[in-house]
Amino acid sequence: MFGLTANRLPQSPNRFLPLSLRCLITAGPTREFFDPVRFISNPSTGKMGFALAAAAKDAGWSVDLVAGPVSLPEPDGVMVYPVVTAAEMHRQADALFGPSDVLIMTAAVSDWRPKATEPQKLKKDGQGLTIELEPVPDIVSALAEERRTDQFLVGFAAETENVEANALDKLERKGLDLIAANSVAGHEGAFGSEQNKLIVLGRNGFREVLGPASKAVVARQLIDVIARLVAARAAS
Ligand code: C5P
């Protein structure tokens, strides 16, 4: 799509190009309830998304952060929109996407949700419980369908195997410009960790490895990559 490779990208003289961008970031897990007090979710802590929000703000961008349930302080100068379920995240992201230049989808959206939510707390009866799940619509794919060509879409891919091949498949399938892949296999697991290593993959063979380093450092590097790619596209 861009016809760019890493070594043909314009390098910023400072760490960030002086681009004033509006950025929408999603972070954290979602919760999908099957009764008023029980839900399915995942171990995402939201740290990477919050670090990206802080790094984007430091780069001079205006940042909207749609956050699932997390226990993190709000980054200074960032508009935070708390949500709980994938449906709420979808609605909120949809409402903020139009004026955004960049979307970074770090949220670990639940892939399934209970087909029905009981209005009252389920009683234990000593028996097992079977819950029927349905797929959750893919938020970033839906946003990609309504995107303008000047918007830049970044996804994340947490993989346990074939990290790059699976991430490239998601890049295509979800209509993204860039995907940040990390291994969540065994000791390399990124959930909740302070450290991260990302393999950033784009169109036409773009590939950069960020880290391993703290999530704050990797976040600044990823914002820098996005700024360079957005600037290169605007200049082309
Ligand atoms: O398919 P998978 O969940 O691995 O894809 C991860 C990417 O897709 C992330 O950017 C995530 O935020 C996004 N996603 C989404 N809606 C879903 C599931 C994932 O936007 N229902």
Side-chain angles (χ1 to χ4, degrees):
M1 179 186 262
F2 302 115
L4 289 168
T5 57
N7 54 10
R8 286 169 53 209
L9 290 174
Q11 298 294 316
S12 62
N14 304 311
R15 198 160 42 76
F16 295 114
L17 286 168
L19 279 178
S20 181
L21 296 174
R22 180 160 175 179
C23 179
L24 169 60
I25 299 175
T26 66
T30 65
R31 290 179 179 172
E32 313 301 327
F33 288 82
F34 56 91
D35 82 7
V37 295
R38 302 185 182 100
F39 54 83
I40 62 169
S41 191
N42 62 65
S44 168
T45 59
K47 280 181 190 162
M48 195 63 218
F50 274 58
L52 280 163
K57 180 70 199 164
D58 286 350
W61 300 3
S62 119
V63 184
D64 294 315
L65 176 60
V66 178
V70 295
S71 309
L72 294 170
E74 293 188 1
D76 283 344
V78 166
M79 281 296 298
V80 181
Y81 301 83
V83 295
V84 177
T85 65
E88 288 171 12
M89 181 171 281
H90 200 155
R91 270 196 300 276
Q92 189 62 74
D94 198 40
L96 294 164
F97 182 57
S100 301
D101 302 300
V102 176
L103 166 69
I104 311 178
M105 242 356 256
T106 72
V109 185
S110 185
D111 291 313
W112 295 275
R113 65 184 165 208
K115 221 168 176 176
T117 307
E118 296 298 328
Q120 305 299 333
K121 185 179 170 190
L122 287 166
K123 297 277 180 286
K124 278 179 290 188
D125 60 2
Q127 302 296 308
L129 177 66
T130 301
I131 300 164
E132 196 178 348
L133 303 177
E134 65 180 13
V136 170
D138 200 277
I139 299 173
V140 79
S141 300
L143 295 176
E145 277 177 23
E146 60 181 73
R147 70 178 290 177
R148 297 187 313 272
T149 50
D150 62 303
Q151 291 176 305
F152 194 85
L153 274 53
V154 184
F156 267 66
E159 304 292 343
T160 55
E161 57 179 353
N162 303 327
V163 174
E164 294 194 36
N166 286 336
L168 279 173
D169 178 57
K170 275 175 202 172
L171 177 84
E172 290 294 337
R173 203 160 23 88
K174 297 184 186 237
L176 304 170
D177 298 301
L178 201 66
I179 193 151
N182 58 355
S183 170
V184 289
H187 67 280
E188 291 186 76
F191 282 130
S193 163
E194 295 303 329
Q195 298 274 308
N196 208 359
K197 175 186 159 188
L198 297 178
I199 303 171
V200 185
L201 304 166
R203 305 274 165 169
N204 297 322
F206 178 85
R207 182 182 186 277
E208 252 181 60
V209 179
L210 310 181
S214 71
K215 285 185 174 174
V217 167
V218 171
R220 284 198 291 273
Q221 292 172 344
L222 181 56
I223 293 298
D224 191 30
V225 168
I226 295 168
R228 284 189 280 130
L229 287 170
V230 170
R233 184 164 67 178
S236 69

